[in-house]
Amino acid sequence: VPLDFAISLTFKSKPGLYFKLSPAEDDVDDALAIDGKESLAENKVPMFYFEDFYAQGIWMNQIPLYFRKSELINAFKKANPGVEVPPVKVTELFSVLGTMLNADAVNADSDVEKLIFIPPVESSAKALECKKKGGKEQPYQLGKRILIL
């Protein structure tokens, strides 16, 4: 499901219904290794980035946040062949979203407006697969949701 939909399910769960975003176990392990912590709080989704690294191609001059550490490193190597990979930084999805929604934070730090989320490669492939299977059916649209539970 689209990220905005998943997040709204997570925050608007009613008693008896429980939705959560869960990162892949490898992503949690990568985040813990970077942070030096023993565990990641429930419903926390790590995001990986490099200081002063900007996206290439259509997202030029945007600051990419990756769900997968390996994909961040691959993107850096592709953009900077032969350059040593800098230390990977980790943040948390809901923390970033909170900052992006805070007008004071956006005004104080112009980089907040440049943040973009880079979906995992397999998620993008799955989205294309779903689109093909949907045929002429209208894709998901923000604000128009029908759930059958």
Side-chain angles (χ1 to χ4, degrees), residues 66-138:
Y66 285 78
F67 288 88
R68 303 269 188 272
K69 177 184 166 190
S70 60
E71 292 176 12
L72 167 65
I73 291 171
N74 290 341
F76 182 87
K77 287 179 177 179
K78 184 177 178 182
N80 303 286
V83 175
E84 185 177 333
V85 176
V88 175
K89 305 284 186 176
V90 67
T91 188
E92 197 279 318
L93 174 64
F94 293 105
S95 163
V96 172
L97 289 172
T99 300
M100 292 172 100
L101 295 172
N102 181 332
D104 292 334
V106 173
N107 292 334
D109 185 356
S110 63
D111 281 350
V112 172
E113 292 180 332
K114 297 177 184 177
L115 297 175
I116 57 169
F117 299 110
I118 307 297
V121 172
E122 66 270 15
S123 294
S124 297
K126 188 68 173 173
L128 287 174
E129 180 184 328
C130 289
K131 188 174 181 179
K132 286 179 185 177
K133 285 183 180 179
K136 294 182 181 179
E137 189 173 319
Q138 186 74 8

Side-chain angles (χ1 to χ4, degrees), residues 20-71:
K20 68 178 185 174
L21 289 175
S22 295
E25 191 173 324
D26 289 344
D27 300 327
V28 172
D29 292 342
D30 287 340
L32 295 176
I34 292 167
D35 273 352
K37 296 180 181 174
E38 291 188 20
S39 66
L40 186 68
E42 184 179 354
N43 219 25
K44 298 295 182 186
V45 179
M47 302 296 302
F48 302 95
Y49 68 99
F50 291 124
E51 292 285 337
D52 302 319
F53 177 59
Y54 293 88
Q56 304 299 308
I58 62 170
W59 300 110
M60 189 70 77
N61 297 322
Q62 300 293 305
I63 301 169
L65 298 171
Y66 285 78
F67 288 88
R68 303 269 188 272
K69 177 184 166 190
S70 60
E71 292 176 12

